[in-house]
Amino acid sequence: MDDMDWALLRELQADARLSFSELSRRVHLSPPSVAERVRRLEESGVITGYHAHVDLTRAGRTVVALIRMSCYGTRCILHDPAVAGWPEILEIHRITGDACSVLKVAAGSIGAFEGVIDRLAPYGQPSSTMVLSSPLNWQPVTPLASPNPAPRPR
């Protein structure tokens, strides 16, 4: 990926609804070139989709938690694709350490959250941590710093 690809990603992450015309104006590249680059970013899997950021509280999901699951073998939630379809589960991450996964869950009430915990129990040991606030809820992806920065002139 070059600097122009990152410029396109920066703009699309800020507003994925930009037209190719507006996007081309912002990055100083012709609309056909912008369309071709965006198409390549999509085909290569760099851009995986276009989404709206949703305020969970305003959408009625007032209880947000991270749940660590300690489960292994055939009953592990990582082997049951149906779990990913539960409406309260927003993310599933396979992890290292003494647990197999961490789930981000958003429920409409403590009672509904308790129901999620009850549904998870047959898969293994759930351990939850309630999210009180999210000072950084989302951040755009930017280029990583070079591992070997150029030496400074003396």
Side-chain angles (χ1 to χ4, degrees), residues 150-154:
R152 292 183 170 181
R154 295 183 188 232

Side-chain angles (χ1 to χ4, degrees), residues 6-7 26 64 68 70 114 119 148 154:
W6 282 109
R26 291 185 184 194
V64 179
R68 291 172 33 122
S70 295
E114 187 176 5
R119 285 190 291 164
N148 297 319
R154 295 183 188 232

Side-chain angles (χ1 to χ4, degrees), residues 8-26:
L8 290 166
L9 286 175
R10 181 183 63 246
E11 295 296 335
L12 287 171
Q13 287 179 96
D15 184 357
R17 296 175 57 175
L18 291 174
S19 67
F20 286 146
S21 176
E22 177 60 20
L23 192 52
S24 70
R25 188 188 68 71
R26 291 185 184 194

